[in-house]
Amino acid sequence: MLLELASQRNVLFLGGKGGVGKTVTASAVALHQAMAGRRVLLVSTDPAHNLGHLWEQTVGDEVVELFRSQDGTGVVDGVEIDPQATITDYLAEVGATLRDFMPQHLHPQVTQHLKLAAQTPGTHESAMLERMAMIIEYGLDDHDLLIFDTAPSGHTARLMALPEIMTFWTEGLLNRRTKAEKFGAAIRAIDGDDDPQSASGENRDRRIRRMLLRRKNRFEMMRNVLTDAKRTSFVIVLIGERVPVLESIELYGQLRDTGVDVGGFVVNRLSPTDAGEFLASRRVQEDKHVAFLQAQLPGVSTDTVPLLAGDLVGREALHQLAHQLS
């Protein structure tokens, strides 16, 4: 299911409870698609990044090449979004805009406000959303497939709902700007159009409107991509235990409520049945949990991956995991 789905999509999200193997699964899919000749951008949005350890090279907030096929057609590029750097850049842009719109004597208050905003709930999600939207907007210019290795379930569910919320919020701001501009135009008509301060105010209004329109269009684009089942799918990764199964069922519902197509589940690390009584008994329990998942969501595709020997680190291990998914 997963590899076929990846071959048919331009954007693929992998999410689920922490510690279930999202990063290694995302990396295996990326390698498989690159070996098939596609250019893939692998994006980690989880603050606890593991791409660098997994690919055995340094990965940071700037895109780096992780793999290139022998004929050069297939590529995996990787980036680990740095939350703090994202917030810093996001607030720096907001601060520059605010200072441009406000008189000089209010600039210190802007600086103080932004310092407080850096610690405000929601700032991280807003900044991360902006960065992800930019990756979706420009990443497909150079790549055939974007794979997002997301943060644990609750954070991801909120993030996937944000584009629609932010679009409506920005539309509200634009409507208020329209009313303010009409009021300003009326005042300028009364006072006369030759006043240079009025012209300055009019130019400022135009800059504000351009900024809001740019953000509205970006969030609207992201919402359209996320809800286009022909281009985008979300795959939930889990292990065969009670809590991950229950959390995955809940995440499935939350994603469907936001209009995101859920392509299926990947159940990782199933215990072998022929390696001793202890592991065999665990497998009985795991099979029961997987059966419960399938009974709760009949018709939803499920891939299963056995527990593999050794550490899943490096290209050979990723290739081995991709083989298990095929």
Side-chain angles (χ1 to χ4, degrees):
M1 172 272 299
L2 178 55
L3 296 182
E4 182 180 359
L5 190 68
S7 69
Q8 298 170 351
R9 298 295 186 272
N10 301 117
V11 182
L12 186 67
F13 287 85
L14 276 78
K17 186 176 174 61
V20 296
K22 297 187 298 292
T23 302
V24 68
T25 304
S27 295
V29 174
L31 180 61
H32 179 272
Q33 291 297 295
M35 293 178 71
R38 300 184 82 191
R39 297 180 60 86
V40 183
L41 178 59
L42 181 57
V43 184
S44 173
T45 70
D46 190 339
H49 296 300
N50 288 311
L51 282 185
H53 300 301
L54 190 58
W55 289 85
E56 298 180 306
Q57 69 178 79
T58 300
V59 182
D61 199 52
E62 300 294 329
V63 175
V64 298
E65 186 176 295
L66 302 176
F67 169 81
R68 181 177 292 271
S69 62
Q70 289 186 346
D71 62 5
T73 59
V75 174
V76 178
D77 292 326
V79 60
E80 295 178 337
I81 297 179
D82 181 344
Q84 193 53 53
T86 300
I87 291 172
T88 299
D89 292 345
Y90 174 73
L91 292 179
E93 181 181 1
V94 172
T97 302
L98 288 175
R99 292 185 188 93
D100 189 35
F101 295 155
M102 292 186 175
Q104 184 73 33
H105 71 276
L106 292 179
H107 287 192
Q109 285 91 325
V110 171
T111 300
Q112 184 61 32
H113 172 75
L114 292 176
K115 286 181 179 179
L116 294 173
Q119 309 302 323
T120 301
T123 299
H124 177 279
E125 285 86 353
S126 297
M128 185 66 73
L129 183 71
E130 189 94 25
R131 182 72 186 278
M132 289 173 65
M134 291 178 67
I135 288 174
I136 291 174
E137 185 175 4
Y138 299 112
L140 291 174
D141 292 341
D142 301 316
H143 300 87
D144 305 305
L145 174 64
L146 309 179
I147 299 179
F148 287 89
D149 167 32
T150 68
S153 305
H155 175 86
T156 298
R158 291 194 301 273
L159 198 63
M160 300 298 276
L162 270 179
E164 184 168 5
I165 295 170
M166 294 295 286
T167 298
F168 286 129
W169 180 75
T170 310
E171 284 176 350
L173 289 178
L174 278 166
N175 289 335
R176 284 192 285 274
R177 286 308 312 165
T178 299
K179 293 178 182 178
E181 288 166 10
K182 289 180 179 178
F183 181 76
I187 295 298
R188 285 192 292 272
I190 294 172
D191 291 344
D193 292 335
D194 295 332
D195 186 348
Q197 184 62 38
S198 295
S200 174
E202 187 175 7
N203 290 333
R204 182 189 64 190
D205 287 343
R206 289 174 179 170
R207 292 199 304 274
I208 295 174
R209 173 169 287 277
R210 281 198 299 269
M211 180 192 69
L212 291 175
L213 276 173
R214 185 174 68 248
R215 299 197 75 214
K216 172 184 175 293
N217 291 338
R218 179 170 289 162
F219 292 136
E220 198 168 59
M221 174 277 303
M222 187 177 185
R223 182 182 65 178
N224 290 338
V225 171
L226 292 182
T227 56
D228 183 353
K230 293 182 179 179
R231 299 181 64 193
T232 304
S233 281
F234 197 109
V235 173
I236 300 173
V237 183
L238 66 151
I239 55 176
E241 295 179 359
R242 182 175 183 273
V243 173
V245 166
L246 294 175
E247 192 167 311
S248 297
I249 293 171
E250 182 179 2
L251 177 59
Y252 177 90
Q254 292 170 337
L255 292 170
R256 292 296 299 269
D257 287 344
T258 61
V260 176
D261 174 69
V262 181
F265 297 92
V266 174
V267 184
N268 262 336
R269 302 200 292 264
L270 286 177
S271 301
T273 58
D274 57 354
E277 184 179 347
F278 174 74
L279 289 176
S281 65
R282 277 194 59 85
R283 178 59 179 268
V284 171
Q285 288 299 114
E286 291 165 351
D287 286 344
K288 288 181 181 178
H289 292 308
V290 174
F292 175 78
L293 171 70
Q294 294 172 328
Q296 292 296 305
L297 299 170
V300 180
S301 299
T302 302
D303 283 349
T304 57
V305 180
L307 179 67
L308 300 177
D311 293 329
L312 287 172
V313 175
R315 295 174 187 173
E316 186 56 40
L318 294 175
H319 180 69
Q320 182 184 3
L321 177 58
H323 178 71
Q324 294 294 333
L325 287 166
S326 60

mmCIF file with all atom_site columns, all heavy atoms in Angstrom, residues 284-299:
data_model
loop_
_atom_site.group_PDB
_atom_site.id
_atom_site.type_symbol
_atom_site.label_atom_id
_atom_site.label_alt_id
_atom_site.label_comp_id
_atom_site.label_asym_id
_atom_site.label_entity_id
_atom_site.label_seq_id
_atom_site.pdbx_PDB_ins_code
_atom_site.Cartn_x
_atom_site.Cartn_y
_atom_site.Cartn_z
_atom_site.occupancy
_atom_site.B_iso_or_equiv
_atom_site.pdbx_formal_charge
_atom_site.auth_seq_id
_atom_site.auth_comp_id
_atom_site.auth_asym_id
_atom_site.auth_atom_id
_atom_site.pdbx_PDB_model_num
ATOM 1   N N   . VAL A 1 284 ? 0.814   -12.762 19.467 1.00 0.00 ? 284 VAL A N   1
ATOM 2   C CA  . VAL A 1 284 ? -0.616  -13.032 19.628 1.00 0.00 ? 284 VAL A CA  1
ATOM 3   C C   . VAL A 1 284 ? -1.348  -11.769 20.055 1.00 0.00 ? 284 VAL A C   1
ATOM 4   O O   . VAL A 1 284 ? -2.413  -11.430 19.517 1.00 0.00 ? 284 VAL A O   1
ATOM 5   C CB  . VAL A 1 284 ? -0.847  -14.165 20.652 1.00 0.00 ? 284 VAL A CB  1
ATOM 6   C CG1 . VAL A 1 284 ? -2.334  -14.301 20.980 1.00 0.00 ? 284 VAL A CG1 1
ATOM 7   C CG2 . VAL A 1 284 ? -0.299  -15.491 20.130 1.00 0.00 ? 284 VAL A CG2 1
ATOM 8   N N   . GLN A 1 285 ? -0.766  -11.031 21.019 1.00 0.00 ? 285 GLN A N   1
ATOM 9   C CA  . GLN A 1 285 ? -1.376  -9.790  21.483 1.00 0.00 ? 285 GLN A CA  1
ATOM 10  C C   . GLN A 1 285 ? -1.367  -8.724  20.386 1.00 0.00 ? 285 GLN A C   1
ATOM 11  O O   . GLN A 1 285 ? -2.349  -8.009  20.184 1.00 0.00 ? 285 GLN A O   1
ATOM 12  C CB  . GLN A 1 285 ? -0.634  -9.261  22.716 1.00 0.00 ? 285 GLN A CB  1
ATOM 13  C CG  . GLN A 1 285 ? -0.867  -10.078 23.976 1.00 0.00 ? 285 GLN A CG  1
ATOM 14  C CD  . GLN A 1 285 ? -2.342  -10.086 24.360 1.00 0.00 ? 285 GLN A CD  1
ATOM 15  O OE1 . GLN A 1 285 ? -3.003  -11.122 24.332 1.00 0.00 ? 285 GLN A OE1 1
ATOM 16  N NE2 . GLN A 1 285 ? -2.869  -8.914  24.688 1.00 0.00 ? 285 GLN A NE2 1
ATOM 17  N N   . GLU A 1 286 ? -0.256  -8.632  19.658 1.00 0.00 ? 286 GLU A N   1
ATOM 18  C CA  . GLU A 1 286 ? -0.151  -7.646  18.575 1.00 0.00 ? 286 GLU A CA  1
ATOM 19  C C   . GLU A 1 286 ? -1.203  -7.913  17.496 1.00 0.00 ? 286 GLU A C   1
ATOM 20  O O   . GLU A 1 286 ? -1.836  -6.980  16.991 1.00 0.00 ? 286 GLU A O   1
ATOM 21  C CB  . GLU A 1 286 ? 1.265   -7.685  17.982 1.00 0.00 ? 286 GLU A CB  1
ATOM 22  C CG  . GLU A 1 286 ? 2.332   -7.156  18.933 1.00 0.00 ? 286 GLU A CG  1
ATOM 23  C CD  . GLU A 1 286 ? 3.743   -7.518  18.491 1.00 0.00 ? 286 GLU A CD  1
ATOM 24  O OE1 . GLU A 1 286 ? 3.890   -8.326  17.534 1.00 0.00 ? 286 GLU A OE1 1
ATOM 25  O OE2 . GLU A 1 286 ? 4.695   -7.009  19.111 1.00 0.00 ? 286 GLU A OE2 1
ATOM 26  N N   . ASP A 1 287 ? -1.379  -9.175  17.153 1.00 0.00 ? 287 ASP A N   1
ATOM 27  C CA  . ASP A 1 287 ? -2.378  -9.519  16.137 1.00 0.00 ? 287 ASP A CA  1
ATOM 28  C C   . ASP A 1 287 ? -3.785  -9.141  16.589 1.00 0.00 ? 287 ASP A C   1
ATOM 29  O O   . ASP A 1 287 ? -4.616  -8.718  15.774 1.00 0.00 ? 287 ASP A O   1
ATOM 30  C CB  . ASP A 1 287 ? -2.316  -11.020 15.819 1.00 0.00 ? 287 ASP A CB  1
ATOM 31  C CG  . ASP A 1 287 ? -1.090  -11.386 14.984 1.00 0.00 ? 287 ASP A CG  1
ATOM 32  O OD1 . ASP A 1 287 ? -0.473  -10.457 14.407 1.00 0.00 ? 287 ASP A OD1 1
ATOM 33  O OD2 . ASP A 1 287 ? -0.751  -12.576 14.921 1.00 0.00 ? 287 ASP A OD2 1
ATOM 34  N N   . LYS A 1 288 ? -4.060  -9.281  17.881 1.00 0.00 ? 288 LYS A N   1
ATOM 35  C CA  . LYS A 1 288 ? -5.367  -8.888  18.406 1.00 0.00 ? 288 LYS A CA  1
ATOM 36  C C   . LYS A 1 288 ? -5.583  -7.379  18.259 1.00 0.00 ? 288 LYS A C   1
ATOM 37  O O   . LYS A 1 288 ? -6.673  -6.931  17.881 1.00 0.00 ? 288 LYS A O   1
ATOM 38  C CB  . LYS A 1 288 ? -5.482  -9.285  19.876 1.00 0.00 ? 288 LYS A CB  1
ATOM 39  C CG  . LYS A 1 288 ? -5.630  -10.781 20.119 1.00 0.00 ? 288 LYS A CG  1
ATOM 40  C CD  . LYS A 1 288 ? -5.754  -11.076 21.598 1.00 0.00 ? 288 LYS A CD  1
ATOM 41  C CE  . LYS A 1 288 ? -5.883  -12.585 21.841 1.00 0.00 ? 288 LYS A CE  1
ATOM 42  N NZ  . LYS A 1 288 ? -5.957  -12.896 23.294 1.00 0.00 ? 288 LYS A NZ  1
ATOM 43  N N   . HIS A 1 289 ? -4.536  -6.600  18.554 1.00 0.00 ? 289 HIS A N   1
ATOM 44  C CA  . HIS A 1 289 ? -4.654  -5.140  18.442 1.00 0.00 ? 289 HIS A CA  1
ATOM 45  C C   . HIS A 1 289 ? -4.819  -4.716  16.983 1.00 0.00 ? 289 HIS A C   1
ATOM 46  O O   . HIS A 1 289 ? -5.597  -3.805  16.681 1.00 0.00 ? 289 HIS A O   1
ATOM 47  C CB  . HIS A 1 289 ? -3.427  -4.464  19.060 1.00 0.00 ? 289 HIS A CB  1
ATOM 48  C CG  . HIS A 1 289 ? -3.336  -4.629  20.546 1.00 0.00 ? 289 HIS A CG  1
ATOM 49  N ND1 . HIS A 1 289 ? -4.379  -4.313  21.396 1.00 0.00 ? 289 HIS A ND1 1
ATOM 50  C CD2 . HIS A 1 289 ? -2.318  -5.065  21.337 1.00 0.00 ? 289 HIS A CD2 1
ATOM 51  C CE1 . HIS A 1 289 ? -4.012  -4.549  22.645 1.00 0.00 ? 289 HIS A CE1 1
ATOM 52  N NE2 . HIS A 1 289 ? -2.773  -5.004  22.634 1.00 0.00 ? 289 HIS A NE2 1
ATOM 53  N N   . VAL A 1 290 ? -4.092  -5.362  16.081 1.00 0.00 ? 290 VAL A N   1
ATOM 54  C CA  . VAL A 1 290 ? -4.225  -5.048  14.655 1.00 0.00 ? 290 VAL A CA  1
ATOM 55  C C   . VAL A 1 290 ? -5.614  -5.421  14.166 1.00 0.00 ? 290 VAL A C   1
ATOM 56  O O   . VAL A 1 290 ? -6.247  -4.673  13.385 1.00 0.00 ? 290 VAL A O   1
ATOM 57  C CB  . VAL A 1 290 ? -3.145  -5.775  13.829 1.00 0.00 ? 290 VAL A CB  1
ATOM 58  C CG1 . VAL A 1 290 ? -3.385  -5.561  12.334 1.00 0.00 ? 290 VAL A CG1 1
ATOM 59  C CG2 . VAL A 1 290 ? -1.756  -5.279  14.207 1.00 0.00 ? 290 VAL A CG2 1
ATOM 60  N N   . ALA A 1 291 ? -6.135  -6.563  14.626 1.00 0.00 ? 291 ALA A N   1
ATOM 61  C CA  . ALA A 1 291 ? -7.491  -6.980  14.237 1.00 0.00 ? 291 ALA A CA  1
ATOM 62  C C   . ALA A 1 291 ? -8.533  -5.979  14.738 1.00 0.00 ? 291 ALA A C   1
ATOM 63  O O   . ALA A 1 291 ? -9.508  -5.681  14.038 1.00 0.00 ? 291 ALA A O   1
ATOM 64  C CB  . ALA A 1 291 ? -7.782  -8.376  14.798 1.00 0.00 ? 291 ALA A CB  1
ATOM 65  N N   . PHE A 1 292 ? -8.311  -5.441  15.946 1.00 0.00 ? 292 PHE A N   1
ATOM 66  C CA  . PHE A 1 292 ? -9.222  -4.431  16.486 1.00 0.00 ? 292 PHE A CA  1
ATOM 67  C C   . PHE A 1 292 ? -9.187  -3.170  15.617 1.00 0.00 ? 292 PHE A C   1
ATOM 68  O O   . PHE A 1 292 ? -10.243 -2.590  15.310 1.00 0.00 ? 292 PHE A O   1
ATOM 69  C CB  . PHE A 1 292 ? -8.823  -4.094  17.928 1.00 0.00 ? 292 PHE A CB  1
ATOM 70  C CG  . PHE A 1 292 ? -9.634  -2.984  18.537 1.00 0.00 ? 292 PHE A CG  1
ATOM 71  C CD1 . PHE A 1 292 ? -10.915 -3.219  19.012 1.00 0.00 ? 292 PHE A CD1 1
ATOM 72  C CD2 . PHE A 1 292 ? -9.112  -1.700  18.634 1.00 0.00 ? 292 PHE A CD2 1
ATOM 73  C CE1 . PHE A 1 292 ? -11.666 -2.194  19.574 1.00 0.00 ? 292 PHE A CE1 1
ATOM 74  C CE2 . PHE A 1 292 ? -9.849  -0.668  19.198 1.00 0.00 ? 292 PHE A CE2 1
ATOM 75  C CZ  . PHE A 1 292 ? -11.136 -0.923  19.660 1.00 0.00 ? 292 PHE A CZ  1
ATOM 76  N N   . LEU A 1 293 ? -7.990  -2.753  15.209 1.00 0.00 ? 293 LEU A N   1
ATOM 77  C CA  . LEU A 1 293 ? -7.846  -1.591  14.330 1.00 0.00 ? 293 LEU A CA  1
ATOM 78  C C   . LEU A 1 293 ? -8.620  -1.788  13.037 1.00 0.00 ? 293 LEU A C   1
ATOM 79  O O   . LEU A 1 293 ? -9.372  -0.905  12.597 1.00 0.00 ? 293 LEU A O   1
ATOM 80  C CB  . LEU A 1 293 ? -6.362  -1.350  14.033 1.00 0.00 ? 293 LEU A CB  1
ATOM 81  C CG  . LEU A 1 293 ? -6.012  -0.302  12.967 1.00 0.00 ? 293 LEU A CG  1
ATOM 82  C CD1 . LEU A 1 293 ? -6.338  1.091   13.480 1.00 0.00 ? 293 LEU A CD1 1
ATOM 83  C CD2 . LEU A 1 293 ? -4.541  -0.392  12.579 1.00 0.00 ? 293 LEU A CD2 1
ATOM 84  N N   . GLN A 1 294 ? -8.455  -2.933  12.436 1.00 0.00 ? 294 GLN A N   1
ATOM 85  C CA  . GLN A 1 294 ? -9.118  -3.214  11.164 1.00 0.00 ? 294 GLN A CA  1
ATOM 86  C C   . GLN A 1 294 ? -10.630 -3.346  11.323 1.00 0.00 ? 294 GLN A C   1
ATOM 87  O O   . GLN A 1 294 ? -11.384 -2.990  10.415 1.00 0.00 ? 294 GLN A O   1
ATOM 88  C CB  . GLN A 1 294 ? -8.530  -4.486  10.550 1.00 0.00 ? 294 GLN A CB  1
ATOM 89  C CG  . GLN A 1 294 ? -7.064  -4.309  10.145 1.00 0.00 ? 294 GLN A CG  1
ATOM 90  C CD  . GLN A 1 294 ? -6.402  -5.602  9.710  1.00 0.00 ? 294 GLN A CD  1
ATOM 91  O OE1 . GLN A 1 294 ? -6.741  -6.679  10.201 1.00 0.00 ? 294 GLN A OE1 1
ATOM 92  N NE2 . GLN A 1 294 ? -5.448  -5.509  8.795  1.00 0.00 ? 294 GLN A NE2 1
ATOM 93  N N   . ALA A 1 295 ? -11.069 -3.816  12.490 1.00 0.00 ? 295 ALA A N   1
ATOM 94  C CA  . ALA A 1 295 ? -12.508 -3.919  12.732 1.00 0.00 ? 295 ALA A CA  1
ATOM 95  C C   . ALA A 1 295 ? -13.133 -2.543  12.933 1.00 0.00 ? 295 ALA A C   1
ATOM 96  O O   . ALA A 1 295 ? -14.271 -2.297  12.516 1.00 0.00 ? 295 ALA A O   1
ATOM 97  C CB  . ALA A 1 295 ? -12.769 -4.789  13.964 1.00 0.00 ? 295 ALA A CB  1
ATOM 98  N N   . GLN A 1 296 ? -12.369 -1.634  13.557 1.00 0.00 ? 296 GLN A N   1
ATOM 99  C CA  . GLN A 1 296 ? -12.867 -0.287  13.785 1.00 0.00 ? 296 GLN A CA  1
ATOM 100 C C   . GLN A 1 296 ? -12.907 0.528   12.503 1.00 0.00 ? 296 GLN A C   1
ATOM 101 O O   . GLN A 1 296 ? -13.777 1.396   12.332 1.00 0.00 ? 296 GLN A O   1
ATOM 102 C CB  . GLN A 1 296 ? -11.993 0.431   14.831 1.00 0.00 ? 296 GLN A CB  1
ATOM 103 C CG  . GLN A 1 296 ? -12.089 -0.136  16.231 1.00 0.00 ? 296 GLN A CG  1
ATOM 104 C CD  . GLN A 1 296 ? -13.476 0.006   16.815 1.00 0.00 ? 296 GLN A CD  1
ATOM 105 O OE1 . GLN A 1 296 ? -14.032 1.096   16.875 1.00 0.00 ? 296 GLN A OE1 1
ATOM 106 N NE2 . GLN A 1 296 ? -14.064 -1.113  17.234 1.00 0.00 ? 296 GLN A NE2 1
ATOM 107 N N   . LEU A 1 297 ? -11.959 0.249   11.600 1.00 0.00 ? 297 LEU A N   1
ATOM 108 C CA  . LEU A 1 297 ? -11.874 1.009   10.345 1.00 0.00 ? 297 LEU A CA  1
ATOM 109 C C   . LEU A 1 297 ? -11.803 0.033   9.172  1.00 0.00 ? 297 LEU A C   1
ATOM 110 O O   . LEU A 1 297 ? -10.767 -0.084  8.499  1.00 0.00 ? 297 LEU A O   1
ATOM 111 C CB  . LEU A 1 297 ? -10.651 1.938   10.365 1.00 0.00 ? 297 LEU A CB  1
ATOM 112 C CG  . LEU A 1 297 ? -10.640 2.985   11.473 1.00 0.00 ? 297 LEU A CG  1
ATOM 113 C CD1 . LEU A 1 297 ? -9.288  3.684   11.545 1.00 0.00 ? 297 LEU A CD1 1
ATOM 114 C CD2 . LEU A 1 297 ? -11.752 4.007   11.262 1.00 0.00 ? 297 LEU A CD2 1
ATOM 115 N N   . PRO A 1 298 ? -12.877 -0.693  8.927  1.00 0.00 ? 298 PRO A N   1
ATOM 116 C CA  . PRO A 1 298 ? -12.861 -1.689  7.852  1.00 0.00 ? 298 PRO A CA  1
ATOM 117 C C   . PRO A 1 298 ? -12.659 -1.032  6.492  1.00 0.00 ? 298 PRO A C   1
ATOM 118 O O   . PRO A 1 298 ? -13.164 0.055   6.221  1.00 0.00 ? 298 PRO A O   1
ATOM 119 C CB  . PRO A 1 298 ? -14.256 -2.341  7.954  1.00 0.00 ? 298 PRO A CB  1
ATOM 120 C CG  . PRO A 1 298 ? -15.104 -1.326  8.647  1.00 0.00 ? 298 PRO A CG  1
ATOM 121 C CD  . PRO A 1 298 ? -14.196 -0.593  9.584  1.00 0.00 ? 298 PRO A CD  1
ATOM 122 N N   . GLY A 1 299 ? -11.885 -1.679  5.670  1.00 0.00 ? 299 GLY A N   1
ATOM 123 C CA  . GLY A 1 299 ? -11.650 -1.157  4.324  1.00 0.00 ? 299 GLY A CA  1
ATOM 124 C C   . GLY A 1 299 ? -10.448 -0.254  4.205  1.00 0.00 ? 299 GLY A C   1
ATOM 125 O O   . GLY A 1 299 ? -10.044 0.097   3.095  1.00 0.00 ? 299 GLY A O   1
#
